[in-house]
Amino acid sequence: MAATMTSPHALTGPLAALTGSRSIAITVALVIGALFVLGAAYMVLRRPRRPGTPDIPNAMKPGPTDQELERSRLVRMQAWGTALVLLMALWIPIVWFMEPSANARDQTNINDAYIAQGEQLTQLPTKDNPSGFGCVRCHGTDLHGGFNYIAASKTVVKVPDLQTVCGGPNTGHPQIKSLEDIVNTIAQGRPGTDMPSWSVRFSGPLDDDQINAIVNYILSIQQPVPGGPKHNVCINPIK
């Protein structure tokens, strides 16, 4: 259930990658540029170079006669104009109809990238994953919960299962009543517990984009909420 946070306090950030629509636009621009260069080269090479005659550029040659303008060339120009207008008339509706599906694909790609980034952030740091911050050290593999040993007090505390966090009070998370609560818990931590603050806004190591990625990963690994979606506080906050 990957989704980008839309809460007013949700932490979001742009993804540094070209979307499908931008790639297509760049490709079209490159093709047009290449055609322009080829056309210019063709116009230069096709200029007549007869021996003994001056090489006069086309822009300086006399223009066509009125008869030519009023007949053959005029008809040709009108035909090209009509063809281009018809092309635009067909192209604009096609782009308009394709835009919603293109936007949906782009959003899916962004969500998938955030989920992959969030998973890496929750893992232990290694040479292959230097961006890991070790959330699994306390919350267990795949963040399914577990127990954490507090050396200072020599006690063992139970760590919540983040795969059921969207169930809120119904699944053992009494302080989670909305998606915003999940974001704030990660960002600010839980004073008086072994959950530290992770946001740079609260002296933590993670920026907004990284926290957004972790939240998206947590949403993607959620177990079905007992009672159905109406009890899912991530999509139906408790008022």
Side-chain angles (χ1 to χ4, degrees):
M1 185 179 61
T4 302
M5 296 175 290
T6 57
S7 149
H9 300 288
L11 305 176
T12 60
L15 183 66
L18 289 175
T19 61
S21 298
R22 292 179 181 175
S23 299
I24 293 174
I26 291 176
T27 303
V28 172
L30 292 175
V31 171
I32 293 175
L35 292 176
F36 176 80
V37 172
L38 292 174
Y42 172 74
M43 294 299 296
V44 171
L45 295 175
R46 70 185 291 267
R47 288 169 57 184
R49 299 183 182 275
R50 299 175 184 174
T53 59
D55 185 12
I56 303 176
N58 290 332
M60 300 180 63
K61 292 180 179 180
T65 63
D66 291 342
Q67 183 178 7
E68 185 179 1
L69 287 174
E70 293 174 359
R71 292 185 180 179
S72 59
R73 179 164 294 193
L74 177 61
V75 172
R76 187 164 59 251
M77 293 173 63
Q78 289 176 338
W80 274 109
T82 302
L84 292 175
V85 169
L86 290 176
L87 177 64
M88 292 297 297
L90 294 174
W91 177 252
I92 292 176
I94 290 174
V95 173
W96 186 79
F97 279 114
M98 293 176 61
E99 185 175 7
S101 59
N103 290 341
R105 287 194 302 271
D106 291 343
Q107 188 61 58
T108 299
N109 292 336
I110 291 174
N111 288 341
D112 291 342
Y114 268 129
I115 291 171
Q117 180 188 3
E119 183 178 10
Q120 292 179 342
L121 290 169
T122 61
Q123 301 301 311
L124 294 172
T126 63
K127 64 177 182 179
D128 296 325
N129 181 34
S131 62
F133 282 89
C135 301
V136 296
R137 184 181 290 110
C138 293
H139 287 279
T141 305
D142 298 327
L143 308 183
H144 60 52
F147 295 90
N148 191 23
Y149 177 72
I150 309 299
S153 59
K154 297 182 179 181
T155 57
V156 176
V157 297
K158 185 177 181 181
V159 180
D161 179 1
L162 298 186
Q163 293 186 3
T164 61
V165 70
C166 282
N170 295 325
T171 53
H173 304 277
Q175 299 185 48
I176 302 298
K177 298 181 181 179
S178 66
L179 180 60
E180 185 178 357
D181 290 338
I182 299 176
V183 177
N184 290 336
T185 299
I186 298 174
Q188 304 177 24
R190 289 272 177 85
T193 71
D194 55 336
M195 176 63 180
S197 60
W198 288 98
S199 173
V200 293
R201 301 182 184 182
F202 302 94
S203 303
L206 299 179
D207 59 29
D208 292 355
D209 187 71
Q210 290 171 314
I211 292 180
N212 183 49
I214 291 175
V215 172
N216 274 271
Y217 172 60
I218 292 175
L219 294 178
S220 72
I221 60 175
Q222 289 301 294
Q223 299 295 327
V225 176
K230 66 180 180 179
H231 295 292
N232 187 323
V233 300
C234 292
I235 57 178
N236 292 307
I238 298 175
K239 303 299 183 180

